[in-house]
Amino acid sequence: MSSIKHPELSDIFNKDEERVNWHDDTLWWIRAKRDKAAHGISEWELLRETASQIKNNVLSNLHNYLIEFEEKAQKNGIKVHWAANAEEHNKIVLSLLQGKGINQMVKSKSMLTEECHLNEYLESNGIDVIDSDLGERIVQLAKEPPSHIVLPCIHKKKEEIGQLFHEHLGTEAGISDPQVLTETARIHLRKTFLTRRSALTGVNFAVAETGEFVVCTNEGNADMGAHLADIHIACMGIEKLIPKKKHLSVFLRLLTRSATGQPITTYSSHFKKPRKGQEMHIVLVDNGRSVQLGREDFRNSLKCIRCGACMNTCPVYRRSGGHSYHNAIAGPIGAILAPNLDMKEYADLPFASTLCGSCTNVCPVKIDIHDQLYKWRQVIVKEGYTSSAKTVAMKVMDFTLSSPTRFKLAGKIGRWTLKHAPFTVNNRLNLWFKNREMPEAPEESFSEWYKRNNSI
Amino acid sequence: MSRATILSAILSNQPQTTQLPEDLQFDCPAKAAVTEKFIQMINLIGGRVVEIQRIEDINLYATAHYGAGERLITPIEELDFYTQFAGDEDPHQFENIAFAVFKTHFAVAENGAVWITEDRMGARVLPFICQHLGMLVFEDSIVSNMHEAYQLIGSQDYGFGTFIAGPSKTADIEQSLVLGAHGARSIIIFLLKKEL
């Protein structure tokens, strides 16, 4: 695979300019809602700082917190499993289902299972999986991955969703009213909730002190699945831990305000013990996280609470779409998490940024996202994972910029070219010509002007 | 199997221990302001507040809004549609509940959430599976923010507890807000005013 995938995939997304503008505006509108919610709380910055410090403490003491969490959860009657990687995670889930003779599962939103490609794995092993979050159900019907961690089908128009529902759920052709479509999904998924014996949920926060975990949804789908199923499997990355229950106050205040501008999700459910007659399992997943923990420059990325604020604000994400990141987690945060998993495959992502820093400014746990993007670029270049064209270009730049004589000569050539042979740069081969005109060439360089005006 | 591997990798890679920050505390506004903020938030998040003087007033609401054929349920003993729960009912039997009412522990003004634990739900699935949801909130149990909320929860033991803020909702289709995704289509807060 070449390492310039993000630009190519963005090109595909950008073919329909009107749609790109719509996508851009929609996400900016959500960003504006976030601002309104954040500005409505005078202590917002104090909350961010507090959340950041709590997460720093978690990462610095993760070993003990995991042991404490496991012990407490077991005491509460929850079975705890450990998975070193995606493959082991998937096998654990499959064996739990097979152990109960179950071949149908309902799943609420879990980015971890997207990261592990659980659905594909289960389906290839004869397990039927239905995603119950409306947005996830829509992309599942479209056979696409989610394009946003909070808003999985933000890239889809209601007419396309209407068509999907017509094909798969039997609605009338041409219906695109969100109210009608949501009602259709409600009725369809109610049947699913009532007939599935197993439910899988993600985890937003897990409390070391008490062994409980918290799942946040607006739709109520995690609860509908979990409370009706005989077996509830909750999958979480090991970084989802927080030390004490009281810390939830800080994170629940920040999470949804950052994500959608709501004061809190409709449901913030605290699962502590299985209900009578039910089995409850937690799968603790590493999948590269312990490695990231050891990378001093990048470990902060593990503080992420998956609110998606960095995506909504990112000028590149908004105009390139989630699928251009070819990773379960898109946007700025995805671009610093993905290279840890596979540096070669995701070498393009840290370059999919203007480094404007807006992501860092909205992050509720103060991850230095744009600094990490910049640092990843350096690592990736040193490891030799950039495209050869970029390497040659950088070498030429280095050759030119490291000598004043060559720099001056290059300037002269550039100015002459722009003036006398504009066709050599004003063409499709020059990436800087895309969507913009090349500037008019000045008569002289600044050095020449300076020399002339200071010679008296 | 992987437990030891994961834990030892974490131990060798985690940075030097940092301190936890101090707990956040903020000045409490006057009680009247807290109630007003709570009502405002409930309206904002798509709920409705019905002020009542005594718990039994909920019966009047129920008879006014639901017909004889509709299934109502509540674990609140003072109400006419009180149902006794043994705790091991099959959750699937609650599929056709039209309206369910529960007694909350407290409510939070800053976001309109109410806190309720399993022992007050009858069955865990009930507040989610019912078509319409009623929540009894005592006015003097409304706290200002989430920090106070967790102080109240403290070390309270429960098998399951949840904050519920408004009706179930989604905006997954072109960001159009639709109430009634998978959980309750509407929520009524029965606000029990303080005795005069």
Side-chain angles (χ1 to χ4, degrees), chain A residues 199-213:
Chain A
L200 188 144
T201 68
V203 170
N204 289 89
F205 306 99
V207 185
E209 175 189 40
T210 58
E212 72 196 283
F213 58 93

Side-chain angles (χ1 to χ4, degrees), chain A residues 326-387:
Chain A
H326 56 97
N327 180 44
I329 299 178
I333 185 68
I336 58 177
L337 291 171
N340 175 59
L341 286 173
D342 187 338
M343 210 184 294
K344 193 173 173 216
E345 171 75 9
Y346 300 112
D348 53 326
L349 295 188
F351 296 90
S353 165
T354 62
L355 302 184
C356 72
S358 184
C359 46
T360 303
N361 288 327
V362 296
C363 177
V365 290
K366 290 196 164 183
I367 301 171
D368 51 340
I369 304 175
H370 76 293
D371 287 335
Q372 292 193 36
L373 286 165
Y374 180 56
K375 286 173 185 165
W376 265 124
R377 292 183 185 186
Q378 296 169 47
V379 174
I380 285 162
V381 170
K382 269 189 200 136
E383 300 282 333
Y385 290 131
T386 39
S387 71

Side-chain angles (χ1 to χ4, degrees), chain B residues 95-134:
Chain B
E95 182 196 351
N96 58 353
I97 301 284
F99 184 55
V101 186
F102 306 94
K103 194 187 278 183
T104 64
H105 290 280
F106 62 84
V108 188
E110 71 160 316
N111 52 26
V114 299
W115 172 252
I116 178 171
T117 49
E118 183 174 25
D119 52 309
R120 296 189 174 191
M121 293 177 188
R124 283 185 192 188
V125 79
L126 261 182
F128 306 93
I129 203 169
C130 61
Q131 294 292 332
H132 301 275
L133 176 62

Side-chain angles (χ1 to χ4, degrees), chain A residues 22 26 29-30 43 46-47 50 53-54 56-57 59-63 66-67 70 82-84 88 132-135 138 151-154 156-159 161 178-179 181-183 186 189-190 193-194 212 218-219 221 223-224 227-228 238 243 245-249 252-253 257 263-276 280 286 290 293-294 299, chain B residues 1-3 5-11 13-24 26 41 44-45 86-89 91-92 94-95 110-113 115 118 124-125 127-131 133 145-148 150 153-185:
Chain A
W22 164 76
T26 309
W29 179 65
I30 300 164
E43 62 266 24
L46 178 62
L47 280 175
T50 307
Q53 287 181 24
I54 295 170
N56 283 337
N57 170 269
L59 296 182
S60 75
N61 197 24
L62 190 56
H63 176 267
L66 278 166
I67 291 174
E70 178 189 39
W82 300 71
E88 191 175 6
S132 59
D133 172 85
L134 179 58
I138 290 165
L151 320 155
C153 69
I154 191 74
K156 283 234 174 293
K157 292 267 194 182
K158 60 185 180 200
E159 290 78 16
I161 297 166
Q179 188 92 38
L181 295 175
T182 303
E183 181 63 23
R186 176 184 171 97
L189 282 163
R190 249 189 194 229
F193 288 126
L194 287 162
E212 72 196 283
N218 276 323
E219 299 183 8
N221 55 318
D223 287 282
M224 282 292 280
H227 303 317
L228 287 166
I238 49 175
K245 182 148 72 180
K246 66 183 177 191
H247 294 141
L248 286 168
S249 60
L252 291 181
R253 294 189 80 189
R257 287 185 174 98
I264 192 168
T265 45
T266 301
Y267 306 103
S268 308
S269 290
H270 299 46
F271 293 86
K272 194 168 176 188
K273 298 168 190 169
R275 70 165 198 277
K276 228 182 200 175
M280 198 180 275
D286 182 343
S290 60
L293 188 63
R299 69 164 61 106
Chain B
M1 262 185 302
S2 292
R3 184 181 184 276
T5 326
I6 296 170
L7 283 174
S8 85
I10 289 168
L11 194 58
N13 283 345
Q14 69 187 20
Q16 211 178 356
T17 311
T18 64
Q19 290 301 305
L20 278 170
E22 281 183 27
D23 294 345
L24 295 179
F26 302 98
M41 287 313 297
L44 187 81
I45 61 180
D88 53 0
E89 286 84 0
H92 295 84
F94 302 117
E95 182 196 351
E110 71 160 316
N111 52 26
W115 172 252
E118 183 174 25
R124 283 185 192 188
V125 79
F128 306 93
I129 203 169
C130 61
Q131 294 292 332
L133 176 62
N145 58 43
M146 292 299 282
H147 308 289
E148 289 174 52
Y150 277 98
I153 294 172
S155 53
Q156 181 190 10
D157 194 26
Y158 47 79
F160 173 75
T162 187
F163 281 106
I164 297 183
S168 149
K169 58 175 82 73
T170 182
D172 274 342
I173 301 175
E174 280 198 17
Q175 286 299 295
S176 303
L177 181 68
V178 178
L179 302 184
H182 298 306
R185 296 174 188 274

Side-chain angles (χ1 to χ4, degrees), chain A residues 83-100:
Chain A
N85 49 40
E87 191 192 355
E88 191 175 6
H89 161 265
N90 293 347
K91 278 187 180 157
I92 290 169
V93 174
L94 179 66
S95 71
L96 288 172
L97 297 174
Q98 286 177 337
K100 306 225 92 186

